[in-house]
Amino acid sequence: MRAARLIKMVLLLQSRSSMTAAELAGELEVSERTVTRDAQALSEAGVPVYAERGRAGGYRLVGGYRTRLTGLARGEAEALFLSGVPGALREMGLEDAASAARLKVSAALLPSLRDASRSAAQRFHLDAPNWFAEPATPELLPAVAEAVWDDRRITARYRRTERDGRAEPDAGPGAGPETGREAEPEAGREVERELEPYGLVLKAGVWYLCARVADGGAARVYRIDRFTAVTGEGERFTRDQEFDLPAFWQERAGQFARSLLRTEVVVRLSVEGVRRLPYAVGPRSARQALAAAGAPDRDGWVTAALPVESEEVAHGQLTGLGPEVEVLAPAGLRERFARDAARFAGLYRS
């Protein structure tokens, strides 16, 4: 623990011309007294740490001293490529590795370039979760992430789910990217699988694992917050070098989104309704419906067949369009909107 801290202190001083005891204490998360003791230990070990007293004083390395401790470990190098997503690094338990990697890179740069990391951080930030959502980090995410990085099998227990009375396949990502609706877990039902974890995906604040079932099974997608237990330290598996995580995720996410759209409703849309439709039902459904729609009528309204998850979901989505949409079919949904319209008229008649 102390050895790692001493190395970090040397790298900090190597990457900056001078640092105060307070600055070092903040970076190392120790007291200023500990910084003083560590500086003395480094000096006794032959590292030329010099302390300058006074208001403008601090600690610095004498004579352009350079350490050879800047070689990146594999884990640090991998974490460095993810350094643009600090929240994800923290949730996966890789924040320390990324911090060490950034320090080593900074220490190896010319003095004129040492502010590059801060400059980049001030110009780009990734905020992954959806608006108005409180993301929750799955408790078992660090264990899963460790297995992913190390190519080790895990034994995972997870909750199966149902959607509209039908068991959801293991491959289902869980929440459709357009509707945001999730299947409710089937009470008391859990399944255990031995998995070869290939990759992690953070989608709209939700973590997913892309993995193969051990011993030649198909690649599937699992929501990590549905894992109830993960046993790591399994044997290493041989990764399929042809596996392309972004392409695999894009294909499966598209399949899942399409599988949700099992019902069709026919609607008439005003010009404003056409403009607002993607925000009400999602871009995929809106594009599909409008691409197949006919020409506008003489009032400028467009008739379109809209793919939706269910009549119940369509009612909630289309209600947001108000008088900019008219439901033509199915008859039951049209009658429901007619009743809504009558209630609205009654509320505002006075």
Side-chain angles (χ1 to χ4, degrees):
M1 184 75 161
R2 190 188 186 199
R5 190 175 70 241
L6 292 174
I7 291 172
K8 187 173 183 179
M9 183 174 180
V10 173
L11 292 172
L12 284 168
L13 293 174
Q14 185 173 314
S15 64
R16 307 179 195 180
S17 58
S18 178
M19 295 184 70
T20 66
E23 289 172 337
L24 283 168
E27 291 280 357
L28 300 173
E29 298 181 353
V30 295
S31 66
E32 292 186 32
R33 184 182 296 273
T34 299
V35 168
T36 301
R37 288 198 297 265
D38 286 351
Q40 183 177 352
L42 287 171
S43 181
E44 292 172 353
V47 179
V49 178
Y50 178 72
E52 293 180 324
R53 299 185 180 279
R55 180 175 298 179
Y59 292 93
R60 63 183 178 85
L61 294 175
V62 178
Y65 175 85
R66 309 286 294 178
T67 177
R68 296 184 179 181
L69 298 173
T70 52
L72 292 177
R74 180 176 181 83
E76 294 169 346
E78 291 171 337
L80 185 62
F81 285 101
L82 296 172
S83 58
V85 283
L89 280 169
R90 182 170 55 253
E91 292 178 7
M92 288 188 290
L94 297 173
E95 189 174 29
D96 288 344
S99 175
R102 286 192 295 269
L103 275 175
K104 289 181 178 182
V105 170
S106 180
L109 292 174
L110 294 173
S112 60
L113 299 177
R114 286 177 186 163
D115 67 340
S117 61
R118 182 180 182 278
S119 176
Q122 293 301 319
R123 287 163 174 79
F124 174 76
H125 174 69
L126 176 64
D127 184 11
N130 276 331
W131 288 103
F132 315 116
E134 290 293 334
T137 302
E139 182 180 350
L140 298 172
L141 175 60
V144 175
E146 184 177 354
V148 169
W149 292 115
D150 209 24
D151 289 342
R152 288 191 181 276
R153 291 182 176 183
I154 59 172
T155 300
R157 292 187 61 82
Y158 67 97
R159 297 190 302 274
R160 293 293 298 272
T161 61
E162 286 189 354
R163 183 180 293 276
D164 293 345
R166 298 185 308 161
E168 219 180 23
D170 296 349
E178 296 180 359
T179 66
R181 292 168 60 86
E182 297 185 10
E184 294 297 326
E186 182 183 0
R189 188 178 181 193
E190 292 188 353
V191 179
E192 185 172 287
R193 293 280 189 272
E194 186 177 5
L195 303 175
E196 296 176 349
Y198 268 71
L200 295 166
V201 175
L202 177 59
K203 170 71 172 178
V206 179
W207 283 95
Y208 298 92
L209 172 67
C210 301
R212 291 188 187 278
V213 178
D215 300 322
R220 298 178 176 181
V221 178
Y222 302 86
R223 275 187 63 147
I224 295 179
D225 60 5
R226 293 194 180 131
F227 284 4
T228 59
V230 172
T231 304
E233 298 301 323
E235 63 182 31
R236 290 181 182 273
F237 64 90
T238 302
R239 177 177 286 265
D240 179 2
Q241 297 303 314
E242 299 298 318
F243 181 80
D244 184 331
L245 179 60
F248 171 78
W249 173 260
Q250 184 176 13
E251 178 189 357
R252 286 305 176 90
Q255 289 176 358
F256 181 73
R258 289 190 295 272
S259 74
L260 293 179
L261 306 179
R262 302 189 300 268
T263 303
E264 186 175 87
V265 299
V266 180
V267 296
R268 288 181 70 237
L269 297 157
S270 68
V271 174
E272 177 65 11
V274 169
R275 187 188 71 80
R276 289 165 49 187
L277 186 64
Y279 304 100
V281 302
R284 185 187 299 272
S285 295
R287 282 196 304 268
Q288 183 175 334
L290 295 176
D297 61 21
R298 60 185 177 182
D299 296 322
W301 285 57
V302 172
T303 299
L306 182 68
V308 295
E309 185 174 347
S310 66
E311 288 187 27
E312 181 67 28
V313 171
H315 178 262
Q317 292 173 329
L318 296 176
T319 295
L321 295 179
E324 308 302 330
V325 63
E326 177 189 2
V327 174
L328 302 178
L333 184 60
R334 180 178 173 83
E335 291 171 3
R336 186 170 180 179
F337 272 94
R339 290 194 298 270
D340 289 348
R343 291 181 62 194
F344 270 117
L347 288 173
Y348 291 101
R349 184 173 294 121
S350 59

